Amino acid sequence: MKDRYIADIQINEEIISYFIVKKAAIKIGANRKAYLDMTLGDKTGEISAKKWDVADEELPGFQKIKEGSVLKIKANVTEWNGQKQLRVTRIRHTGAEDNLDMSDYIKTAPEKPEEMYNYIYSRAEAFADQELRSLCTKVLEARKDKLMYYPAAQKNHHAELGGLLYHVKRMLMMAERVCEVYNVLDRELLMAGVILHDMEKMTEIESNELGISPGYSFEGKMLGHLVLGVREIEKEAEAMNLSREKAIMLEHMMLSHHYEPEFGSPIRPLFPEAEMLHYLDMMDAKMYDMEEAIEKTEPGNFSERVWTLDNRTIYRRREDD
Amino acid sequence: MKDRYIADIQINEEIISYFIVKKAAIKIGANRKAYLDMTLGDKTGEISAKKWDVADEELPGFQKIKEGSVLKIKANVTEWNGQKQLRVTRIRHTGAEDNLDMSDYIKTAPEKPEEMYNYIYSRAEAFADQELRSLCTKVLEARKDKLMYYPAAQKNHHAELGGLLYHVKRMLMMAERVCEVYNVLDRELLMAGVILHDMEKMTEIESNELGISPGYSFEGKMLGHLVLGVREIEKEAEAMNLSREKAIMLEHMMLSHHYEPEFGSPIRPLFPEAEMLHYLDMMDAKMYDMEEAIEKTEPGNFSERVWTLDNRTIYRRREDD
Amino acid sequence: MKDRYIADIQINEEIISYFIVKKAAIKIGANRKAYLDMTLGDKTGEISAKKWDVADEELPGFQKIKEGSVLKIKANVTEWNGQKQLRVTRIRHTGAEDNLDMSDYIKTAPEKPEEMYNYIYSRAEAFADQELRSLCTKVLEARKDKLMYYPAAQKNHHAELGGLLYHVKRMLMMAERVCEVYNVLDRELLMAGVILHDMEKMTEIESNELGISPGYSFEGKMLGHLVLGVREIEKEAEAMNLSREKAIMLEHMMLSHHYEPEFGSPIRPLFPEAEMLHYLDMMDAKMYDMEEAIEKTEPGNFSERVWTLDNRTIYRRREDD
Amino acid sequence: MKDRYIADIQINEEIISYFIVKKAAIKIGANRKAYLDMTLGDKTGEISAKKWDVADEELPGFQKIKEGSVLKIKANVTEWNGQKQLRVTRIRHTGAEDNLDMSDYIKTAPEKPEEMYNYIYSRAEAFADQELRSLCTKVLEARKDKLMYYPAAQKNHHAELGGLLYHVKRMLMMAERVCEVYNVLDRELLMAGVILHDMEKMTEIESNELGISPGYSFEGKMLGHLVLGVREIEKEAEAMNLSREKAIMLEHMMLSHHYEPEFGSPIRPLFPEAEMLHYLDMMDAKMYDMEEAIEKTEPGNFSERVWTLDNRTIYRRREDD
Amino acid sequence: MKDRYIADIQINEEIISYFIVKKAAIKIGANRKAYLDMTLGDKTGEISAKKWDVADEELPGFQKIKEGSVLKIKANVTEWNGQKQLRVTRIRHTGAEDNLDMSDYIKTAPEKPEEMYNYIYSRAEAFADQELRSLCTKVLEARKDKLMYYPAAQKNHHAELGGLLYHVKRMLMMAERVCEVYNVLDRELLMAGVILHDMEKMTEIESNELGISPGYSFEGKMLGHLVLGVREIEKEAEAMNLSREKAIMLEHMMLSHHYEPEFGSPIRPLFPEAEMLHYLDMMDAKMYDMEEAIEKTEPGNFSERVWTLDNRTIYRRREDD
Amino acid sequence: MKDRYIADIQINEEIISYFIVKKAAIKIGANRKAYLDMTLGDKTGEISAKKWDVADEELPGFQKIKEGSVLKIKANVTEWNGQKQLRVTRIRHTGAEDNLDMSDYIKTAPEKPEEMYNYIYSRAEAFADQELRSLCTKVLEARKDKLMYYPAAQKNHHAELGGLLYHVKRMLMMAERVCEVYNVLDRELLMAGVILHDMEKMTEIESNELGISPGYSFEGKMLGHLVLGVREIEKEAEAMNLSREKAIMLEHMMLSHHYEPEFGSPIRPLFPEAEMLHYLDMMDAKMYDMEEAIEKTEPGNFSERVWTLDNRTIYRRREDD
């Protein structure tokens, strides 16, 4: 069990704890000897770690250290130029016997996957429109296993374990609320669009079960999740004999939800539910990114530039304001 | 009282009713005689009307007909090439004695100004933050008279009697709802931003009491309602001794709510409430425009191109879908 | 049989011939009487035609005149301000008994549909790759009827009877030739891409059997022929059990052949055959438009601005140069 | 007193002189010992300097070395790969007793602040328009202290001690001259616009008394100097009871002088003086940047790419041409 | 001699005066008779003129009326819908015997061509640099005849008799002045660039001797005056054996003076004189357009939108401000 | 003679072979001693090479090592972190006596310059149009020496020995083929355009006789090869008394072949041969870049991002597909 987190480590103490490997490389030191240079992490942050003077017989073992694996580390906490650093003295690979809880090590959505899934599923199950109900529940059931861990992106917003579910759930909460204000909207068509809109991200990007994506799949690069989404709805629609108008409208929602051609939508939304789907998607992504930026910033200050927010620096107001 | 509407007029009948003048011009007919060529309107639509063979002594009276005035008209309903047309036989100017209800003739927000105002005012009055409460109630009170009729635009979305209040009210309803989902947002700061964001439209554009705007004011053209908004908040903030951080943040919300420089915001939103203000503004405008487009379109068809929606044609689904 | 063409008509003669109706409307003349105002056409051009002083009993018949129908016309050729004009004296609707050959009246590709089809089909039939051969011949066979008349566009390049076949055939001729120069290209993959790339235009746009398109279909507007193409290949690929790599590459060629996001391709070409498909498509469209512009221009002059060529004016060199 | 400048230092000599610290960091050397790695500067350039083998007891002192402070340095001039480098042997912090003249160390406008200020002030004082005279002299007086050192930018053009005054003064000289050629211009309105246009840079960016700006202020980031300028003129105008037209025109000049929305002006200039103000601003910035680029370039060569000149490389002609 | 100008004509009087023909067409009137419909002009404005009921024998003469010719007209001044209109009773073609002074009829630069030419020539003649002196005086001499009337554009800024000289002269006045402020500039190189920069407009556009351009020449369309300018300088440089550096720099100034690729400069200015040439060109064009817009606008109002000023509406301040 | 290539070198062997120097620098090692750090290359790739512990007396010799020179190297092949590296033990400069064949060391077009030249020349010689024949053969003859080695670019496509000839030859092959399909094209005008279009690259960029370009020339930077091309054709045309229309059309082809203003063409193509020239140019460049990307990529994978292909990653299909 992990009991020491990076955020809490003090200089000059000696620690023994588990960390996930973010980067690892063997380098030559100033003394012409090899050393192991790692960036270690847990859910509270990252820290630089060095194992100096690696002996030749240690090299093969160290070369096997992979990003994403968890190591048990013994180290002294030193400081260099104001940054904490671990001077590692012992390293052990971990296994099942360590009973690791991965949520200690990786970025995870703030709600439990099972609960988010149930929330979404229950909404789909309650649809009055029987076609939309069948379609959405079927899609959710068929993908339940992967939904339990898939991130919503390789990097950027919701790139975290369960991120896809979290993204869909918050958008679904918003979808219900916008329909209270704008009654031009068909509530269930919008909600179905929300549930389905990013499902093909699970084809587009690859992900391990920690919700960490190594990149795009062949189909993902060649077609993208929007067009894959069209293709998938079409298959389901044919299999279920969905009404043509409804099928095409849902396919259009898949295709148009990025809105701008340069962001992947060759056609802009052509009816209110498609239009609103885009805004719900944007709002959720922006709120996610802003929240993240603010968490890393002191009150009364501006964050670092955030690439996904057009390189803006985000202001965190003073607490006592 | 108006009892016949353009949408209901039948060919070949003779009608007597009131209409608002949209366009009027004296022209020379094929027989070298003058005729009066008008476009008449009411809240249900527009119709072409001709008064043929105008006598010289009638000319001075007809030359006084102004756009926006309401006439009492007697006419036969004819048809030419599939379009209804009025062959006018009598024209009378109207006055107080006609007891005109302008909402019969002009585009009007679907809720009563007084009620919308009260809704918004009550929200401001309930703010826990005393500074925002004072600022918003003061601004609303000082502008109450004009708010009763001001449109939110010269043309485009919410260009209608009471349109500004309607725009603010719907955004305010949304503001309360987004804060239920995104708790990074300060609810009252966002709501204050919504209430204040377009107040200076009442300086930027001119409007008569029918909510019809003849165009932009001198200050409006030179500075725009965003910068006028900054200037206005600054004056109020100094007068009220508002905290500097809050004042600047509100001013920034005024300035950044159009988001893109080419739409008038030299600076993009730099905190979550400013970001969300923009999306609430966009969503309300888009839903308004889509609703309008759909109302004018038959089920199963696409609308005409809508300029404010990037020239898209909007689809209206089949009713029985 | 049509024996007089618009390009050959002389002023002051009286003619009897067939013309297709491009526009027709009943208007009021200077003498307050109705007249029929038409634009008539044949494959050599267009001419204005007036039937003056229409009697009330003639109106119902004239109101039935539709664009696209062919009329038999008796008329005197007059001139006004340098333009030829027909003063119509007799009009007759036509029927089967007139044995009309529509190619006299409408824009038609310069080669016979059957021959173009056979050219394309024979190329597909000769593929060494059995999967591509089956796919392409099957697609061609299934669409043969519509291919006989479909234009390649509603307006712009190849908007003519048989235009789609002509576009594909010329691109196919080029595809064979580029593979002689660039051997990085897989000849059959490129040729298959050419054959398939615009097939879903037959879903995207509607067309009558004269190759005249009244506009886009519901699916066409909502998804576009690129995405429809992806969807269609996927269905065929699943049905035929095509290799996944080949299926996805063909789908990518459908999706990417417009190259730029703002022209409908959310993803740019990612392999040489997809890249080349785009250039062959562009070249064929541009050569078509330039040829058209030059035909309408006198040697030594510039054409009118051509919208599809970025509003350029195209120069026609002096013949004897 | 500084008597040796970086541009004149010779390899192999030993020097004792004063330098300003541009960068300083403690690093670990190849021998695992700490060393102090600095970039030192004076008005003639920069040089790398190393103090090797720092003892533990020296560290606290070296850690206090700040950018912008001036050190007295004893060092040997060495060379590495064609670059001069200082091998530092002694370091001393400086104080009042060193009688430092900062213009030896930092970039400074080529004219004396007092003289530039007087030039500008005398022009304002000579205005025939009493309102503009009062406004401009008041603004200049109120800001005189800061004007004595403020740069016109954090980096880029006129980022130097007294740079803001220099920028305004040269523009003012041009303003007088353009009015000799273009008499559509109101000379005093244009000159007032020049004097006021960048005043709020002193709010937007922060600066120490050396004219070195650490960055933007909170208000600067949130509103920018253009909008701050509008706000400031408005306050002054209200206080002075300036005519509304003149106030709004000046405010518009503040707002529009960057011309393009993407450079911060939501509205383009709407009268000749506003238009010309922009061009005078641009010309002065461009001439400044070109002059700088040329100074660093050998005759007959192109400069490095200059970011503020759209990455152009500027050509310096041969002297004897 | 022309003694009555359009701006001064009164309703109901009968006039006899000369006017230039802006447009002329024979049309059919409401009474089925031909009438001559003209727009007549002089330097003070334009007026609509009708000659009703044209007899068949008059037609050949009226058909010979050309745009740009001057007619002697007898007419009654009537009014229709608030616009003055001439009811023409007599028309006579004019000839040498009428001693017409074209400046009464057409737009003309405000200074005499001969004087402007002499101003420019005297500056060139005074160059200390003998190469630049020879080049500029030679170019001016060779083109003197055409310079006496050429406009600087087909439409837009300086599209007037002598407009090219006026444009060059004002820029030259500015060139001398900017060199007083910015001494990085080589005064004679800049002045030579100004004199030469638009010379090839006389090849690019065609013009009659009234300074009215019917459009672009073949070479103008194919190459443009910037590239033609490069070509021309090169020929002159070779003939005169000009130093290569100077020749290339002048050619570069020809090529780069429109600055942006989309305005015709494939390469941006690469030295200060080229940069400044662009700004002087822009400033002169903008001041010209603004001046024109303001002349047509009442004090306290905004002009119509001006296409060459990015569709801005220009404000004219109140006189007594 | 070179007998060992980088692609074939094995770890742990000792080699003696020739390599071209891509980069060379003297650096300080961890042990405070100087070492020589080089990147060596041959036509099969590049490898890192270190000569450790350089003695003071060796330094002068090593400092003379220039990029582009060929060295004879003795070294042990080591490995560090998965990369092969040479530990150099002996270095010798080479000379004529080594009989180096530069095509072993540098990137070279896949066909012999002489043969490519002859191919192109023979096509020009066969022109029926005598003017084009004279022009093209003259231009080719005059530039034959430089054509034998010139690359078509400094970097990017065809940046290789003989690259310019290879680029022109492949385009010429295509030009003949497109004329078989599109008979609107004048075959010889197009072919002449192809032969001439990039000739002034030999003025624009500099190149040594290995086809390696150090960069742009003064004229190249100031005018670019498109405008230089116009200038050159004009000179030849005047000298040969070429027909004006033909000369201007060829000059236009020079100027417009980059198509977009932002890529250097201020005017877009205005006739079919100019249009097609652009597409042939593009296609050849794209096929070149794609071929290169694919060669470096394993089947079934995507390449690295390719800058000249808009940063796309190119897919190489599986061999056995």
Side-chain angles (χ1 to χ4, degrees), chain A residues 193 197-198 225-227 229-230 248-261 263-279 281-282, chain B residues 290 312, chain C residues 221-223 227 266:
Chain A
H197 83 290
D198 267 355
H225 74 277
L226 276 64
V227 172
V230 173
I248 299 298
M249 289 178 86
L250 285 169
E251 291 175 20
H252 174 80
M253 291 171 87
M254 301 301 104
L255 192 63
S256 66
H257 80 266
H258 282 192
Y259 211 85
E260 304 290 347
F263 298 138
S265 284
I267 296 179
R268 286 209 174 85
L270 295 176
F271 49 85
E273 293 81 6
E275 182 82 3
M276 186 54 83
L277 176 59
H278 165 69
Y279 284 107
D281 193 20
M282 285 294 277
Chain B
M290 289 232 163
R312 282 175 281 172
Chain C
K221 280 199 165 183
M222 285 286 175
L223 299 171
V227 172

Side-chain angles (χ1 to χ4, degrees), chain E residues 233-299:
Chain E
I233 302 282
E234 177 72 5
K235 286 181 194 173
E236 300 287 356
E238 289 210 333
M240 294 174 51
N241 205 18
L242 202 70
S243 92
R244 283 318 287 162
E245 189 191 47
K246 212 176 292 176
I248 299 296
M249 288 177 86
L250 284 169
E251 292 174 21
H252 174 80
M253 290 170 87
M254 301 301 105
L255 191 62
S256 67
H257 81 265
H258 282 194
Y259 210 85
E260 303 290 346
E262 62 267 36
F263 299 138
S265 285
I267 295 179
R268 286 209 175 85
L270 295 176
F271 48 86
E273 293 81 8
E275 182 83 2
M276 185 54 84
L277 176 60
H278 165 69
Y279 283 107
L280 298 183
D281 193 21
M282 284 293 278
M283 274 168 41
D284 194 59
K286 300 286 186 169
M287 285 301 107
Y288 184 94
D289 289 337
M290 289 232 164
E291 203 168 348
E292 277 234 318
I294 280 177
E295 269 170 25
K296 294 179 192 154
T297 305
E298 294 300 303

